[in-house]
Amino acid sequence: DELLRAPKLRGGLGEYLLEDLLKQVLPAEHFEMQYHFRNGTIVDAIIRTSDRLAAIDSKFPLENFRKMVGSDGEGDRKTFQKAFVNDVKKHIDSIASKYILPDEGTFPFALMYIPAENIYYEVIIKDEGANGTGLYSYCIDRKVVPVSPNSFYAYLQVIALGLRGLQIEQRARNILNTLSGLQGDS
């Protein structure tokens, strides 16, 4: 618990958990940690598909979340909730402006990895609609897709299947090319 109080350590933990999840599901050649874009920006991770990069930034907005959950009075809770929502919106804006770089080969969206299911739930499921646009809508409007360990694992499984399909397609093409070369030799 004390470990998570320091933002630098918390950030490092989020990146570690992100890397661990990527290693569990994807072949090493299809992801990279601490990816450097040509413009000098560094994102926590990218997933490399056949023709594009999916940028992933780990965010662990814990301070005001803890205060919100631990607050006794309704007034305090609302104050900390508003601060939490503002923290998350800043993260979303940062990801949208720094890591959606189609000129550098990214998809026209980026992923925000939230390594704690309870925080993800607060961002995605609960909606502060009374204050205007909910956080999920805010994410989608800025082309930032929030993911938790569980949802990201499911996405990665689908990506891994797609990558295997591409490998099979490439192998089949190589076999057909070899066979047609052999036919030409006879």
Side-chain angles (χ1 to χ4, degrees), residues 92 134-146:
I92 294 164
L135 278 175
Y136 185 74
S137 296
Y138 192 86
C139 284
I140 300 309
D141 288 347
R142 281 151 188 81
K143 297 178 175 46
V144 173
V145 179

Side-chain angles (χ1 to χ4, degrees), residues 14-171:
E15 290 171 28
Y16 171 79
L17 294 170
L18 172 61
E19 182 175 13
D20 187 55
L21 196 51
L22 289 166
K23 282 180 177 175
Q24 286 179 41
V25 183
L26 295 179
E29 66 271 14
H30 287 288
F31 73 92
E32 187 175 327
M33 299 302 295
Q34 298 300 307
Y35 181 81
H36 294 252
F37 288 106
R38 290 187 304 268
N39 69 9
T41 308
I42 302 169
V43 68
D44 290 337
I46 53 102
I47 295 174
R48 198 175 270 111
T49 65
S50 62
D51 63 341
R52 294 223 173 254
L53 305 174
I56 311 153
D57 199 49
S58 176
K59 295 296 180 196
F60 211 151
L62 193 61
E63 306 279 327
N64 286 310
F65 175 80
R66 269 196 171 147
K67 291 175 184 174
M68 178 183 74
V69 171
S71 63
D72 292 330
E74 186 63 23
D76 282 347
R77 195 189 66 70
K78 282 194 189 279
T79 300
F80 292 127
Q81 180 183 23
K82 189 173 184 178
F84 170 74
V85 166
N86 287 334
D87 291 347
V88 174
K89 283 183 176 181
K90 285 179 194 163
H91 290 319
I92 294 164
D93 291 340
S94 173
I95 291 169
S97 65
K98 290 162 72 176
Y99 307 127
I100 301 174
L101 303 167
D103 292 349
E104 294 212 27
T106 70
F107 284 102
F109 63 86
L111 301 172
M112 177 173 64
Y113 176 70
I114 302 170
E117 294 292 336
N118 57 342
I119 296 174
Y120 173 80
Y121 175 82
E122 193 68 35
V123 170
I124 302 314
I125 310 300
K126 285 195 172 179
D127 193 301
E128 86 287 359
N131 301 350
T133 305
L135 278 175
Y136 185 74
S137 296
Y138 192 86
C139 284
I140 300 309
D141 288 347
R142 281 151 188 81
K143 297 178 175 46
V144 173
V145 179
V147 293
S148 71
N150 288 334
S151 65
F152 192 44
Y153 182 79
Y155 289 143
L156 289 175
Q157 291 291 340
V158 171
I159 291 168
L161 282 172
L163 292 172
R164 279 189 217 111
L166 286 172
Q167 285 178 327
I168 291 168
E169 187 179 313
Q170 184 60 47
R171 286 188 190 129

